[in-house]
Amino acid sequence: MKNAFIINAHEAYSFSEGKLNATLVDIAKVNLIQKGYEVRITTMKDNYDIEGELSNHQWADVLILQSPVNWMEVPWSFKRYMDLVYSAGMGGQLCNGDGRSRHDPSSQYGTGGSLTDAKYMLSLTLNAPKSALNDASQSFFEGKSLDDLFWPMHLNFRFFGMQPLPTFACFDVMKNPSIDDDFLRFEAHLNQHFAIPAS
């Protein structure tokens, strides 16, 4: 059996209650349980315990971060989660500092990760249309990809030694949604990248 830890980073607003992100979490949960995974979930509304969250990260073979894109990054409540949980894990639970030491500061920065056997996947929802990205003629993102935009988040998980799975995204979710198609694509994405664990 493999272990999957899902974090729902959504922060509720009057114009965005979080139903889409919650449904994507539910789809992932059902899909992975049917494949034989054990699943744990944390949301930003939970009264989470720092040590418990560190334990969830250490327990997981794969972590799925389900998050809306708020002002080009994760919501503030997940940033707070990172500041609390990830800072507390720098003594070895998530990483051994930055991989260097005062005795040998020449070691490469960012090589102290303790979760080298784990993978992670970003699953993002955003108002921007897919056409706004990966196209140099689009003035705002200037040809950048969604993974370019979320490069700091990729670096956070790389800091722990984790390996990426391909990012999933639901685009244009407020102005021109295609939610049923998004759900089908998400199922297909999970089926492609999450194998049935060996018994």
Side-chain angles (χ1 to χ4, degrees):
M1 177 171 292
K2 286 195 172 183
N3 301 326
F5 178 39
I6 305 174
I7 300 176
N8 184 348
H10 187 271
E11 175 65 29
Y13 294 96
S14 59
F15 58 88
S16 177
E17 297 177 16
K19 292 178 182 177
L20 175 57
N21 283 272
T23 302
L24 290 166
V25 167
D26 287 341
I27 289 171
K29 176 184 176 182
V30 170
N31 182 290
L32 296 179
I33 287 174
Q34 288 175 345
K35 288 182 168 72
Y37 285 76
E38 185 173 340
V39 177
R40 295 179 184 174
I41 299 171
T42 292
T43 78
M44 296 305 97
K45 294 187 292 185
D46 294 336
N47 186 21
Y48 56 79
D49 168 75
I50 291 174
E51 287 301 318
E53 293 307 293
L54 291 172
S55 177
N56 285 338
H57 282 75
Q58 293 176 301
W59 167 85
D61 297 299
V62 61
L63 181 152
I64 298 175
L65 175 63
Q66 180 62 57
S67 180
V69 178
N70 283 17
W71 295 107
M72 314 308 146
E73 58 181 314
V74 296
W76 69 267
S77 51
F78 182 63
K79 180 62 170 67
R80 180 178 185 273
Y81 176 102
M82 291 192 293
D83 287 346
L84 294 173
V85 175
Y86 293 173
S87 297
M90 292 188 66
Q93 289 164 296
L94 303 181
C95 59
N96 292 295
D98 64 17
R100 304 176 300 158
S101 70
R102 287 187 171 85
H103 303 294
D104 183 16
S106 65
S107 295
Q108 285 204 30
Y109 178 84
T111 57
S114 304
L115 305 182
T116 54
D117 293 329
K119 296 181 180 180
Y120 73 92
M121 186 186 89
L122 305 182
S123 177
L124 306 172
T125 61
L126 61 162
N127 182 49
K130 187 175 183 179
S131 60
L133 295 142
N134 300 297
D135 183 350
S137 72
Q138 294 286 317
S139 60
F140 186 74
F141 289 116
E142 299 179 335
K144 302 293 192 301
S145 71
L146 184 57
D147 286 311
D148 290 331
L149 179 63
F150 264 64
W151 184 238
M153 188 57 56
H154 284 292
L155 289 179
N156 287 336
F157 292 123
R158 181 184 286 191
F159 204 77
F160 304 149
M162 302 173 79
Q163 301 299 313
L165 293 169
T167 298
F168 177 82
C170 299
F171 295 96
D172 216 353
V173 299
M174 299 183 77
K175 299 278 177 58
N176 187 29
S178 54
I179 303 304
D180 290 339
D181 180 62
D182 289 338
F183 292 159
L184 292 174
R185 288 190 307 104
F186 190 48
E187 288 272 12
H189 189 90
L190 294 169
N191 291 336
Q192 181 179 357
H193 299 293
F194 289 80
I196 296 175
S199 56

